């Protein structure tokens, strides 16, 4: 608190920061909750001969948000792994990631830093077919790279450490960057993998397609079964809820501290004002005529020397006049002048 009773700049910044963080966490929590609510409302369908009949009866031959499980099967061509023999897939992602140490001038520590310097993703057209191997039923998966969660298996990973000379080491210390090496990875969605798709199911020209849903719903192509996928999202919601509650309580604590300081400051000012009024009242009473209790004292009675009456009340005293304080006879009166 400053002299005027206002919160300090640090307190205002702390309250604003904690409030902003709480608001952001709450927004993320609400978004995650909506995702879970949407998943719970998704319609589970089986990949069997009745699938087309269900879609024929659905409005617009479409289920806006459906859950379907099947086995990945390539349509025409498959993608071969560049590093693993006999590894076939329909989605292939090759990544080169740089690893280095960066000097932090604030903490005076070396921190790990990772940066993707190259990434390429190849996609082949694929279907989901029944796990039992039923014929004639398949679902074409469209735009798999648009999925919020696309389960890819890491089939190859190798770290290539950087070779450094003594001169390079000195230069790295001067520049504040120490290369560690390059990590090379290959991820694939293999043919034959079991996949859970959550999206929009559409019947078009006797072909069933799974595509990204509309209305902001999330698209999933996960290796988890639907119950595990739902539990994973619910765990994320609980985490964000806990963070929101913790930061919300911290914000309330900061606000309570500031309000308590304000209240104490107000009470202190109130007590000070009451003391000032009391002193002023006492000062006024000391200068008031003891007879009429309204006019100021303006007479000095001699020979007793008491100053206790105004001129008007002195004139009204019985004759011979006596001092109202000591009852001594007043010999003469001298006017009192306050400068």
């Amino acid at each position: 608190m400053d002299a005027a009773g206002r919160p300090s700049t640090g307190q205002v910044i702390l309250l604003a920061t904690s409030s902003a963080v709480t608001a952001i966490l709450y927004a993320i929590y609400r978004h995650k909750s909506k995702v879970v609510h949407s998943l719970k409302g998704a319609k589970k369908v089986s990949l069997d001969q009745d699938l087309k009949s269900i879609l024929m009866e659905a409005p617009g031959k479409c289920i806006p948000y459906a859950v379907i499980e099947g086995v990945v099967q390539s349509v025409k061509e498959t993608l071969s792994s560049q590093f693993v023999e006999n590894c076939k897939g329909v989605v292939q992602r090759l990544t080169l990631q740089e690893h280095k140490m960066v000097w932090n001038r604030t903490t005076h520590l070396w921190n790990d830093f990772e940066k993707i310097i190259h990434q390429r993703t190849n996609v082949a057209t694929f279907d989901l077919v029944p796990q039992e191997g039923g014929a004639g039923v398949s679902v074409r998966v469209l735009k798999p790279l648009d999925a919020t969660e696309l389960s890819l298996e890491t089939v190859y990973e190798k770290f290539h450490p950087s070779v450094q000379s003594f001169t390079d080491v000195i230069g790295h210390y001067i520049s504040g960057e120490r290369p560690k090496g390059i990590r090379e990875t290959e991820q694939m969605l293999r043919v034959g993998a079991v996949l859970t798709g959550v999206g929009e199911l559409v019947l078009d020209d006797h072909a069933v397609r799974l595509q990204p849903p509309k209305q902001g719903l999330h698209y999933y192509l996960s290796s988890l079964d639907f119950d595990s996928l739902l539990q994973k999202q619910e765990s994320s919601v609980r985490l964000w809820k806990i963070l929101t509650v913790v930061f919300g309580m911290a914000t309330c604590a900061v606000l309570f501290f500031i309000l308590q300081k304000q209240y104490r400051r107000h009470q202190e000012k109130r007590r000070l004002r009451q003391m000032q009024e009391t002193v002023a009242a006492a000062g006024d009473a000391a200068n008031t005529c003891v007879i009429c209790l309204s006019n100021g004292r303006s007479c000095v009675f001699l020979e007793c020397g008491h100053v206790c009456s105004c001129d008007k009340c002195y004139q009204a005293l019985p004759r011979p006049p006596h001092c109202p304080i000591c009852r001594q006879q007043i010999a003469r009166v001298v006017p009192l002048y306050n400068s």
Side-chain angles (χ1 to χ4, degrees):
M1 294 288 177
D2 58 13
R6 294 185 297 267
S8 65
T9 303
Q11 292 172 346
V12 172
I13 293 176
L14 180 60
L15 179 61
T17 302
S18 60
S19 300
V21 172
T22 302
I24 293 172
L25 292 175
Y26 180 72
I28 296 175
Y29 162 70
R30 285 291 303 273
H31 175 72
K32 296 287 185 181
S33 298
K34 290 180 180 179
V35 170
V36 171
H37 181 73
S38 301
L39 280 175
K40 290 181 178 180
K43 182 177 181 180
K44 295 183 179 180
V45 295
S46 300
L47 192 51
D48 52 26
Q49 297 293 339
D50 296 331
L51 179 58
K52 290 185 178 180
S53 300
I54 294 174
L55 289 172
M56 287 291 292
E57 297 175 357
K61 299 180 181 180
C62 168
I63 300 178
Y65 210 41
V67 180
I68 193 165
E69 297 182 1
V71 177
V72 175
Q73 182 183 74
S74 60
V75 177
K76 294 181 181 179
E77 60 179 10
T78 57
L79 303 174
S80 299
S81 170
Q82 294 187 5
F83 305 98
V84 182
E85 294 184 0
N86 301 321
C87 182
K88 305 289 184 180
V90 292
V91 178
Q92 179 189 48
R93 179 171 292 163
L94 301 169
T95 305
L96 290 178
Q97 190 176 46
E98 179 187 15
H99 291 253
K100 60 183 178 181
M101 303 288 288
V102 177
W103 178 254
N104 190 317
R105 301 183 186 278
T106 304
T107 61
H108 299 287
L109 297 173
W110 289 95
N111 299 327
D112 289 323
F113 180 79
E114 300 176 359
K115 178 183 178 182
I116 295 177
I117 57 179
H118 178 73
Q119 188 175 78
R120 185 177 80 249
T121 304
N122 302 318
V123 180
T125 305
F126 68 96
D127 291 343
L128 293 180
V129 298
Q131 300 184 35
E132 294 78 9
V137 182
S138 63
V139 174
R140 180 66 50 83
V141 179
L142 303 180
K143 301 180 179 180
L145 299 183
D146 291 349
T148 303
E149 181 175 327
L150 176 61
S151 296
L152 299 178
E153 178 186 356
T154 301
V155 297
Y156 175 82
E157 183 176 7
K158 185 175 182 180
F159 184 78
H160 304 276
S162 60
V163 179
Q164 305 175 22
S165 64
F166 180 73
T167 306
D168 294 333
V169 173
I170 296 177
H172 297 154
Y173 272 95
I174 295 175
S175 64
E177 293 187 1
R178 292 164 47 190
K180 297 173 63 177
I182 303 295
R183 186 179 300 277
E184 186 178 18
T185 58
E186 181 182 23
Q187 297 173 296
M188 297 191 72
L189 177 58
R190 292 196 184 195
V191 173
V194 178
L195 205 63
T196 300
V198 183
E200 185 180 57
L201 272 179
V202 179
L203 179 62
D204 186 14
D205 295 333
H206 303 287
V208 182
R209 293 184 172 86
L210 178 67
Q211 61 189 19
K214 301 178 180 61
Q215 301 175 353
L217 299 174
H218 285 205
Y219 188 31
Y220 294 94
L221 295 173
S222 175
S223 59
L224 300 174
D225 60 82
F226 179 70
D227 291 336
S228 299
L229 177 62
L230 184 59
Q231 290 177 3
K232 179 181 177 182
Q233 299 301 319
E234 289 177 337
S235 298
S236 177
V237 170
R238 285 193 292 270
L239 173 62
W240 288 106
K241 183 178 181 180
I242 291 172
L243 290 176
T244 302
V245 171
V246 169
F247 276 86
M249 292 177 64
T251 303
C252 293
V254 173
L255 180 60
F256 176 76
F257 174 78
I258 294 176
L259 292 178
Q260 186 182 40
K261 288 288 186 179
Q262 288 279 62
Y263 176 75
R264 289 180 178 177
R265 179 72 180 184
H266 174 73
Q267 291 293 98
E268 182 180 352
K269 292 174 66 176
R270 184 179 177 182
R271 287 195 298 269
L272 180 60
R273 187 168 54 250
Q274 290 177 347
M275 290 175 61
Q276 291 174 345
E277 292 175 353
T278 302
V279 171
D284 291 342
N287 295 322
T288 302
C289 174
V290 298
I291 300 174
C292 65
L293 300 177
S294 59
N295 297 326
R297 302 182 185 187
S298 59
C299 299
V300 180
F301 296 152
L302 298 176
E303 301 295 330
C304 66
H306 285 124
V307 182
C308 59
S309 172
C310 64
D311 182 69
K312 185 178 180 180
C313 292
Y314 164 70
Q315 297 295 338
L317 289 175
R319 300 300 177 192
H322 290 77
C323 176
I325 299 299
C326 63
R327 305 308 301 169
Q328 182 178 343
Q329 185 173 344
I330 301 172
R332 60 193 180 96
V333 177
V334 176
L336 178 67
Y337 299 99
N338 294 321
S339 57

